[in-house]
């Protein structure tokens, strides 16, 4: 497979010390072996692929899911668990410029529907994913960012019809959000936090119960078309003959599977650390007792939340490479930022740290639609680091496109993914973006 990052990004090292596998024992799925046929073959068993498969199976289709590792091995089993608005890297004004006000609003409503979709999914599949947090809180990282938060209140009301709650700096401590780093907070009452691995494992089990044939250690190595027009999806030990094909590989995609994807998605590393369990005394010493899922107002943001078991989870954009040295540098940076945000916890042990790939598009918006020029082939990807809700929903939208039943996909999500100008060299823009935003944040 031709992939964009160093080999290490696609191996076991980045998740060797992840916290989530310590919270749940996932079942293992056997590899595909021999020849099979089905209505729809799905490549990738994360939120996108599994939600698409589950919806299709419930609609009566015979579905095979092929996963290169095991379900949830990709970003779906290693993320921060923020089930929140998001999916696009463009704000309301930019989207409006791109597709007009109505098109922008239709897309942003889908972001909200995505959150509701996951809540309903957890309930209809009986998944206990340790949920908490009433919406999501953005914290101003500088005095000049406070006005930006206040300006968002009207926009949030206009788009989602909800009232966001603003807290000035002096009110943060009384809400359990004490940190020398922050100057104000804005809570949007949409979204909740979950254990990402419990969610993805629960999804895999629900899909299997609905009749989906799920195979682990079954990396797809080739795609062909049979004389009757069906897809021939090939793995090392088997082949699936399918009427429909769904590509759900997001940040773990490869340049030639299918060739259309080449140059149209950009994986970006993100990293997380968690602390040991904090005592009540330690929480009180910092003044951070809130279980809100939070992020800061930087472009290259940090995201953090106090887990139900009182460990602090802290995530950030990682280095633009994926080597042992860059992982060490990211951990050093994460630790330094963590201590700046939560100085009372400067000596608290970091028990787990890991990383994975999110995925950006040149359009700045997610894609969920048919692949141009490829008969009966669909893909959904590029959620800009916000795929817990949007990836889940984008998968369900693909199923609706295939069956013709279910919610309509906003037009903005079906417009083709533009190619990045630098093609196979596109990763080179990351250090430039990081450098630029680093400069911007230092000046504010
Ligand atoms: C560290 C980190 C933190 C994040 N935090 C959040 C967060 O808090 N909130 C949020 O909304 N989003 C977050 N995200 C993003 C979110 O996790 C992803 O957008 C989402 O999980 C994407 O789901 P997916 O199913 O499309 O892709 P993935 O979960 O990445 O699944 C793709 C799968 O495809 C498989 N695959 C690839 N190629 C092949 C092949 N040839 N054959 C078979 N299988 C193949 C891979 O093994 C992988 O399992 C985070 C991501 C990371 C990495």
């Amino acid at each position: 497979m031709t992939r964009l990052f160093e080999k290490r990004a696609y191996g076991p090292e980045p998740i060797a010390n992840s916290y989530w596998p310590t919270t749940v024992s996932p079942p293992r799925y056997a590899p595909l072996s021999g020849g099979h046929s089905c209505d729809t073959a799905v490549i990738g068993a994360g939120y996108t692929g599994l939600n698409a498969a589950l919806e299709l199976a419930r609609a009566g289709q015979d579905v095979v899911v092929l996963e290169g590792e095991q379900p949830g091995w990709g970003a779906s089993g290693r993320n921060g668990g923020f089930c929140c608005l998001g999916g696009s890297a463009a704000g309301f004004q930019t989207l409006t410029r791109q597709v007009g006000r109505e098109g922008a609003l239709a897309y942003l409503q889908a972001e909200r529907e995505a959150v509701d979709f996951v809540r309903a999914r957890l309930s209809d599949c009986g998944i206990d994913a340790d949920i908490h947090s009433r919406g999501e809180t953005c914290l101003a990282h500088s005095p000049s960012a406070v006005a930006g938060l206040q300006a968002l209140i009207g926009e949030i009301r206009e788009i989602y019809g909800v009232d966001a709650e603003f807290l000035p700096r002096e009110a943060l401590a009384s809400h359990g959000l004490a940190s020398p780093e922050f100057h104000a907070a804005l809570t949007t009452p949409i979204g909740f936090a979950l254990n990402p691995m419990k969610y993805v494992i629960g999804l895999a089990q629900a899909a299997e119960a609905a009749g989906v044939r799920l195979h682990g250690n079954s990396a797809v190595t080739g795609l062909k078309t049979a004389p009757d027009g069906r897809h021939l999806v090939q793995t090392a030990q088997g082949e699936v003959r399918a009427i429909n094909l769904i590509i759900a590989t997001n940040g773990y995609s490869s340049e030639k599977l299918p060739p259309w994807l080449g140059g149209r998605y950009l994986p970006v590393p993100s990293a997380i650390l968690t602390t040991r369990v904090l005592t009540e005394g330690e929480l009180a010493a910092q003044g951070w007792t809130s279980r809100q899922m939070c992020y800061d107002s930087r472009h290259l943001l940090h995201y953090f939340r106090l887990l139900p078991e009182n460990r602090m989870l802290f995530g950030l954009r990682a280095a633009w490479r994926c080597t042992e040295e860059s992982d060490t540098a990211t951990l050093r940076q994460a630790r330094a930022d963590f201590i700046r945000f939560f100085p009372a916890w400067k000596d608290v042990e970091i028990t787990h740290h890991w990383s994975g790939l999110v995925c950006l598009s040149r359009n700045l918006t997610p894609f969920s639609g048919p692949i141009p020029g490829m008969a009966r082939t669909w893909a959904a990807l590029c959620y800009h680091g916000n795929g817990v809700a949007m990836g889940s929903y984008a998968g369900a939208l693909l199923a609706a496109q295939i069956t013709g039943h279910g919610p309509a996909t906003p037009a903005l999500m079906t417009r083709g993914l533009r190619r990045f100008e630098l093609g196979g060299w596109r990763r080179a823009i990351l250090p430039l973006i990081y450098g630029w935003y680093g400069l911007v944040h230092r000046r504010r």
Side-chain angles (χ1 to χ4, degrees):
M1 276 187 262
T2 316
R3 285 162 146 178
L4 217 59
F5 272 74
E6 291 84 1
K7 218 172 159 196
R8 180 182 172 89
Y10 308 99
E13 291 95 341
I15 44 171
N17 191 22
S18 168
Y19 173 60
W20 301 124
T22 69
T23 65
V24 61
S25 308
R28 290 192 71 79
Y29 294 86
L32 182 83
S33 171
H36 300 264
S37 60
C38 66
D39 296 318
T40 301
V42 178
I43 308 178
Y47 302 141
T48 305
L50 290 171
N51 275 294
L54 179 55
E55 291 289 308
L56 289 168
R58 286 182 173 173
Q61 284 211 3
D62 181 15
V63 184
V64 171
V65 176
L66 299 171
E67 164 57 48
E69 303 289 338
Q70 288 290 323
W73 180 88
S76 299
R78 54 177 99 183
N79 62 72
F82 284 48
C83 181
C84 54
L85 296 170
S88 164
F92 183 39
Q93 308 301 335
T94 308
L95 293 175
T96 301
R97 271 196 302 280
Q98 284 185 6
V99 291
R101 187 182 149 79
E102 263 185 37
L105 284 174
Y107 165 73
L108 291 166
Q109 276 312 316
E111 287 195 355
R112 180 177 190 161
E113 281 154 24
V115 172
D116 296 341
F117 173 83
V118 176
R119 199 184 283 280
R121 178 107 297 174
L122 292 174
S123 160
D124 77 54
C125 294
I127 302 170
D128 178 359
D130 306 335
I131 70 172
H132 66 93
S133 188
R134 194 187 61 84
E136 190 181 26
T137 300
C138 181
L139 291 149
H141 72 281
S142 66
S144 61
V146 176
L149 286 197
Q150 284 172 314
L152 280 176
I153 296 173
E155 198 174 289
I156 291 168
R157 192 176 300 123
E158 182 185 355
I159 298 169
Y160 304 110
V162 297
D163 288 324
E165 187 191 351
F166 178 80
L167 292 177
R169 182 171 200 162
E170 53 278 15
L172 294 182
S174 63
H175 285 75
L177 298 167
S179 161
E181 181 76 4
F182 303 125
H183 300 262
L186 185 70
T187 296
T188 305
I190 300 174
F192 55 93
L194 51 68
N195 177 318
M197 190 156 250
K198 288 189 179 175
Y199 172 38
V200 73
I201 297 303
L203 268 180
Q205 290 171 327
E208 204 185 11
V212 172
R213 285 175 280 158
L214 189 42
H215 294 283
N217 302 109
S218 301
V220 172
T221 49
L223 295 174
K224 287 189 176 155
T225 309
D228 65 359
R230 286 177 196 233
H231 299 282
L232 298 176
V233 187
Q234 297 165 330
T235 68
Q237 299 169 42
E239 184 176 84
V240 176
R241 199 181 174 86
I243 300 168
N244 308 310
L245 176 63
I246 289 179
I247 314 288
T249 48
N250 203 43
Y252 293 88
S253 296
S254 42
E255 293 294 271
K256 293 184 181 147
L257 211 91
W260 172 81
L261 256 189
R264 295 178 198 272
Y265 64 97
L266 177 57
V268 176
S270 186
I272 296 179
L273 60 78
T274 51
T275 65
R276 66 159 164 75
V277 173
L278 295 156
T279 63
E280 293 298 329
E282 284 168 334
L283 296 179
Q286 174 59 49
W288 193 281
T289 49
S290 169
R291 295 206 186 272
Q292 276 299 105
M293 50 181 185
C294 297
Y295 62 101
D296 66 9
S297 51
R298 291 178 172 86
H299 288 282
L300 301 174
L301 56 80
H302 300 78
Y303 48 98
F304 37 96
R305 63 181 172 107
L306 185 60
L307 300 178
E309 59 274 35
N310 282 354
R311 290 171 190 272
M312 195 67 181
L313 175 150
F314 187 80
L316 77 174
R317 171 268 312 163
W320 65 280
R321 306 193 64 202
C322 192
T323 60
E324 206 177 329
E325 295 72 39
S326 65
D327 283 357
T328 306
T330 296
L331 179 60
R332 203 180 310 120
Q333 180 68 52
R335 205 181 154 84
D337 292 354
F338 176 82
I339 291 172
R340 205 176 68 244
F341 286 27
F342 307 108
W345 299 337
K346 66 181 185 343
D347 296 322
V348 167
E349 189 189 342
I350 305 299
T351 53
H352 299 83
H353 56 90
W354 66 96
S355 64
L357 297 173
V358 306
C359 192
L360 317 186
S361 73
R362 180 68 181 80
N363 310 32
L364 304 180
T365 47
F367 177 71
S368 173
I371 294 185
M374 279 186 81
R376 304 209 65 79
T377 311
W378 288 259
L381 69 164
C382 298
Y383 313 119
H384 300 89
N386 276 300
V388 175
M390 185 46 84
S392 301
Y393 194 52
L397 291 174
L398 287 186
Q401 291 170 35
I402 290 173
T403 60
H405 300 289
T409 307
L412 188 142
M413 290 176 73
T414 57
R415 58 185 184 162
L417 287 174
R418 269 173 63 194
R419 280 180 67 86
F420 282 85
E421 284 78 2
L422 294 180
W425 298 97
R426 61 196 181 281
R427 190 161 66 123
I429 64 176
L430 290 179
L432 300 179
I433 295 173
Y434 292 176
W436 169 250
Y437 282 133
L439 213 63
V440 167
H441 292 317
R442 264 200 294 280
R443 292 176 56 195
R444 281 190 187 157

